[in-house]
């Protein structure tokens, strides 16, 4: 016996001995007739049982179903046992053959069950594996990378441009004295120009948060005089502002200072135009307007053609076509003196720009308050 149990209706051929037995039954017709009929019945039942069981097994698709199949066909309460109960009605010579066939049927079915269960187990395992599998060939999800704050990027651009022109970076304190922030910059107490800087005063008289990076000019000059100087002074400044879309109470500035023996206004212009070309792209128009700062004389403000509309006029440049870039001028003789330089021998220029403002303009951001709200979407568009 043998064959496949995989598909319903694909029967295992019945044992040839069974067939020859039926043939011999016919030949022996007449002798011991009643008993032969019973034997024949039982053998037919066994044959039928085997067919049924094999068909049913082929349709059992789960381990659970094979258990039910076992209890229906092979268990002590199953169909095979109930057929064998009739063994008692056979004569002693007839029993061995039926017993033998019954055992063979049982063995065949048990084998088939084992095979079926193994196949089902394998299939179930495969299904679990497929459900839980990880496709290692799929492309990975990209890691979200952080980005530098756009002010930091503007600062780094500024450092790169000025250091290439021979400027060094000079650090100066954020907590200043009234003397450095104002007096040494040619603004004695009561000077009306102080109104240009809304100051945070502390409970210690004379101690303030710097309103601009210009006091750093005095620190640098006092450290280097009488040597020539070429420095930029970046850092945070503080003003008592009513915060709005273009004013924060904390912001950055980058101060520039050059002191030497023959420094002229054209040096200032040359350096600043070169900076504008590198920061905003070659050929962008700039203009200088007369202005006033107590610590420079003459004083100017520098504008750049609006980077967003190219000078045509848009909301960012308030339809003027120009963006204010920085304040600058020739260092006032009194400031040179306060720094330790003889103004008859030395001259210099200074400028101060706001990198936050530059970043706003460069990236077309309409509100400076986004800089501190920690919403990463701000940086997705730059
Ligand atoms: N300190 C000035 C300001 O805060 C800018 C400035 C710096 C102007 C240096 C002239 C020279 O507005």
């Amino acid at each position: 016996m043998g064959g496949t149990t995989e598909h319903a209706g694909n029967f295992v051929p019945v044992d040839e001995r069974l067939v020859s037995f039926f043939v011999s039954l016919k030949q022996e017709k007449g002798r011991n007739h009643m008993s032969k009929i019973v034997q024949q019945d039982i053998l037919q039942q066994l044959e039928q049982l085997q067919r049924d069981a094999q068909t049913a097994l082929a349709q059992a698709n789960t381990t659970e179903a094979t258990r039910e199949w076992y209890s229906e066909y092979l268990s002590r309460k199953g169909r095979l046992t109930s057929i064998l109960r009739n063994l008692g009605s056979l004569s002693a010579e007839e029993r061995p053959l039926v017993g033998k066939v019954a055992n063979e049927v049982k063995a065949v079915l048990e084998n088939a069950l084992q095979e079926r269960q193994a196949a089902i187990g394998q299939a179930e395992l495969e299904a679990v594996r497929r459900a839980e599998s990880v496709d290692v060939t799929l492309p990975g999800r990209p890691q979200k990378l952080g980005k530098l704050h756009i002010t930091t990027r503007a600062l780094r651009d500024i450092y790169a441009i000025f250091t290439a022109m021979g400027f060094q970076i000079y650090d100066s304190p954020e907590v200043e004295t009234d003397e450095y922030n104002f007096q040494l910059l040619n603004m004695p107490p009561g000077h009306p120009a102080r109104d240009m800087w809304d100051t945070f005063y502390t409970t210690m008289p004379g101690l303030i948060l710097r309103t601009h990076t210009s006091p750093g000019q005095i620190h640098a000059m006092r450290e280097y005089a009488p040597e020539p100087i070429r420095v930029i002074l970046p850092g945070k400044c503080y003003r008592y502002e009513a915060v709005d879309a273009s004013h924060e109470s904390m912001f950055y500035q980058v101060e520039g200072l050059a002191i030497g023996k023959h420094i002229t206004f054209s040096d200032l212009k040359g350096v600043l135009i070169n900076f504008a070309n590198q920061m905003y792209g070659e050929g962008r128009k700039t203009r200088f307007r007369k202005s006033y700062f107590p610590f420079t004389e003459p004083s100017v403000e520098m504008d750049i053609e609006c980077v967003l509309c190219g000078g045509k006029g848009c909301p960012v440049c308030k339809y003027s076509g120009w963006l204010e870039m920085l304040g600058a001028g020739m260092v006032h003789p009194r400031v040179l003196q306060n720094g330790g330089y003889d103004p008859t021998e030395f001259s210099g220029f200074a400028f101060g720009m706001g990198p936050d403002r530059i970043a706003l303009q460069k990236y077309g951001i309409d509100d400076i308050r986004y800089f501190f709200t920690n919403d990463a979407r701000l940086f997705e568009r730059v």
Side-chain angles (χ1 to χ4, degrees):
M1 278 203 190
T4 174
T5 54
E6 283 299 307
H7 304 289
N10 209 355
F11 299 114
V12 173
V14 176
D15 192 327
E16 276 155 26
R17 277 168 298 179
L18 266 180
V19 177
S20 54
F21 170 76
F22 292 127
V23 172
S24 64
L25 263 187
K26 279 183 192 143
Q27 292 164 352
E28 279 188 47
K29 220 191 245 166
R31 200 168 61 87
N32 216 351
H33 188 66
M34 277 311 290
S35 173
K36 285 291 179 209
I37 293 300
V38 173
Q39 189 187 45
Q40 188 183 2
D41 275 357
I42 294 177
L43 288 168
Q44 270 170 352
Q45 281 172 21
L46 285 172
E47 183 195 9
Q48 189 59 45
L49 172 81
Q50 185 178 332
R51 283 173 194 276
D52 290 352
Q54 282 172 329
T55 307
L57 187 61
Q59 282 161 356
N61 287 322
T62 60
T63 306
E64 184 53 34
T66 62
R67 284 202 193 105
E68 280 164 21
W69 177 91
Y70 178 83
S71 87
E72 183 176 345
Y73 293 99
L74 297 182
S75 69
R76 280 203 302 128
K77 289 177 189 161
R79 278 166 58 178
L80 182 64
T81 317
S82 68
I83 292 171
L84 295 181
R85 276 208 194 95
N86 298 327
L87 233 56
S89 58
L90 297 179
S91 65
E93 316 90 75
E94 286 168 337
R95 257 179 241 155
L97 175 68
V98 177
K100 192 165 176 278
V101 172
N103 278 337
E104 280 172 5
V105 168
K106 194 176 181 202
V108 165
L109 293 180
E110 275 171 352
N111 260 340
L113 176 66
Q114 260 178 24
E115 268 174 40
R116 187 80 191 128
Q117 279 177 334
I120 288 170
Q122 193 61 33
E124 284 174 349
L125 196 67
E126 271 308 310
V128 169
R129 240 184 240 148
R130 228 175 296 122
E132 292 177 357
S133 71
V134 175
D135 184 352
V136 293
T137 65
L138 281 176
R141 287 192 198 94
Q143 283 276 349
K144 275 219 161 185
L145 286 183
K147 275 187 185 169
L148 290 176
H149 193 283
I150 52 180
T151 301
T152 308
R153 288 165 65 178
L155 278 167
R156 291 189 180 181
D157 289 347
I158 292 167
Y159 299 161
I161 295 166
F162 281 106
T163 53
M165 287 192 272
F167 285 76
Q168 287 178 296
I169 296 172
Y170 189 90
D171 254 335
S172 67
E174 290 174 27
V175 179
E176 273 294 1
T177 57
D178 182 279
E179 187 190 14
Y180 270 80
N181 196 78
F182 294 119
Q183 293 168 42
L184 295 169
L185 293 171
N186 203 22
M187 281 179 277
H191 193 292
R194 286 190 180 215
D195 285 353
M196 288 159 69
W197 292 276
D198 306 294
T199 310
F200 280 119
Y201 293 90
T202 67
T203 50
M204 288 175 79
L207 203 67
I208 62 167
L209 299 184
R210 68 176 175 189
T211 59
H212 52 175
T213 43
S214 298
Q217 290 187 30
I218 306 291
H219 289 292
M221 284 192 264
R222 288 190 169 176
E223 184 171 339
Y224 292 119
E227 297 299 320
I229 294 179
R230 221 188 292 171
V231 290
I232 53 171
L233 306 99
K236 289 172 187 158
C237 304
Y238 303 86
R239 286 188 202 170
Y240 182 55
E241 296 274 11
V243 174
D244 66 20
S246 50
H247 295 87
E248 263 291 355
S249 52
M250 189 282 283
F251 58 95
Y252 280 84
Q253 276 194 346
V254 179
E255 191 88 4
L257 177 70
I259 309 279
K261 285 208 167 152
H262 304 288
I263 291 184
T264 66
F265 194 81
S266 47
D267 294 319
L268 170 63
K269 283 183 81 175
V271 164
L272 292 180
I273 289 169
N274 183 40
F275 167 72
N277 279 336
Q278 299 212 36
M279 193 70 190
Y280 295 102
E282 205 75 37
R284 203 159 275 285
K285 280 193 204 132
T286 52
R287 73 175 181 188
F288 290 85
R289 285 180 287 109
K290 64 184 187 320
S291 186
Y292 170 75
F293 299 102
F295 34 91
T296 47
E297 181 60 34
S299 300
V300 289
E301 271 171 67
M302 185 186 184
D303 295 339
I304 182 147
E305 191 181 51
C306 179
V307 287
L308 290 168
C309 65
K312 287 190 206 86
C314 71
V316 172
C317 62
K318 300 197 181 78
Y319 301 98
S320 70
W322 295 97
L323 295 171
E324 199 181 299
M325 238 181 96
L326 50 81
M330 299 307 288
V331 180
H332 192 286
R334 229 174 258 160
V335 175
L336 280 174
Q337 228 162 12
N338 291 339
Y341 290 87
D342 178 354
T344 61
E345 236 189 300
F346 288 89
S347 59
F349 64 75
F351 57 85
M353 65 178 80
D356 303 298
R357 191 64 65 82
I358 289 174
L360 277 179
Q361 295 166 352
K362 197 166 170 179
Y363 301 115
I365 294 156
D366 52 9
D367 198 319
I368 198 166
R369 288 168 291 191
Y370 290 137
F371 281 28
F372 308 108
T373 48
N374 283 342
D375 186 337
R377 284 174 300 178
L378 176 64
F379 305 113
E380 275 160 21
R381 59 196 230 196
V382 298

